[in-house]
Amino acid sequence: MVNKDQVKGATKQVSGAVKEAAGKVTGSKKTEVKGKVEKAAGKMQKAYGDAKENVKDAARR
């Protein structure tokens, strides 16, 4: 099962990757850095969601 933190985290990762790539293409370091930060935040949120899901799965067993 997938929870909202997993979905939001994955979405942030994709959005961050797009911003990072756009920053590289346009030469905007600011946009590139914002993308990297957003991507990292997305990874953390997804990992949190994964951990929550693992706890739920363990509790069901």
Side-chain angles (χ1 to χ4, degrees), residues 13-27:
Q13 282 181 298
V14 171
S15 176
V18 169
K19 284 181 186 175
E20 182 181 359
K24 286 180 182 178
V25 169
T26 61

Side-chain angles (χ1 to χ4, degrees), residues 3-58:
N3 64 45
K4 68 180 182 178
D5 286 307
Q6 290 170 313
V7 173
K8 286 182 179 180
T11 302
K12 279 184 186 177
Q13 282 181 298
V14 171
S15 176
V18 169
K19 284 181 186 175
E20 182 181 359
K24 286 180 182 178
V25 169
T26 61
S28 172
K29 287 288 183 193
K30 185 177 179 181
T31 302
E32 185 179 344
V33 169
K34 282 184 178 183
K36 286 181 180 183
V37 169
E38 187 173 339
K39 192 166 68 170
K43 283 182 181 181
M44 290 172 47
Q45 186 171 9
K46 184 175 179 310
Y48 173 71
D50 291 343
K52 280 179 27 179
E53 206 56 42
N54 290 337
V55 168
K56 283 183 189 177
D57 289 344

